[in-house]
Amino acid sequence: MGLPETFKALSNPVRRDILMMLKSGRMPAGEIAENFDMTGATISHHLSQLKNAGLIFETKEKNYIYYELNTTVFEELMLWFSQFKGGDDNEGL
């Protein structure tokens, strides 16, 4: 995981919406696209950005491509963010 790619992917509201949709479970690309008023190519671009950032992965089954969250990356992000929480260790800095 590269933090610059991850934060760039998360900076787009459409991509964040896609991630929220995938929170419920894996979905085919067509079903994801039905939730947006944009071309299939645009949705494909957003999915590609999320995949390149490691936030989602795809599984091909017959004629469909399914996308799902890569929870490992989210766990790594939470660990990274947790280092910024306050506490007694940071007093006096």
Side-chain angles (χ1 to χ4, degrees):
M1 169 187 74
L3 285 177
E5 295 84 8
T6 302
F7 286 124
K8 181 179 178 185
L10 291 171
S11 71
N12 185 283
V14 171
R15 293 193 280 265
R16 291 192 307 267
D17 288 345
I18 292 171
L19 292 172
M20 291 303 292
M21 291 169 47
L22 293 174
K23 191 172 84 165
S24 300
R26 74 183 197 146
M27 296 176 69
E31 191 175 325
I32 293 169
E34 289 173 0
N35 291 280
F36 299 95
D37 186 24
M38 49 187 68
T39 66
T42 301
I43 293 296
S44 179
H45 170 75
H46 287 299
L47 291 168
S48 178
Q49 292 295 312
L50 290 168
K51 194 172 99 173
N52 289 340
L55 294 167
I56 64 172
F57 58 90
E58 67 180 25
T59 306
K60 296 178 183 178
E61 293 181 17
K62 297 186 182 182
N63 295 334
Y64 296 96
I65 298 175
Y66 291 90
Y67 292 91
E68 58 188 298
L69 292 178
N70 182 357
T71 55
T72 303
V73 172
F74 287 97
E75 291 167 0
E76 290 174 8
L77 279 172
M78 294 304 292
L79 285 172
W80 186 80
F81 278 118
S82 71
Q83 71 183 333
F84 296 104
K85 79 175 181 183
D88 294 337
D89 296 337
N90 295 327
E91 284 186 25
L93 292 180

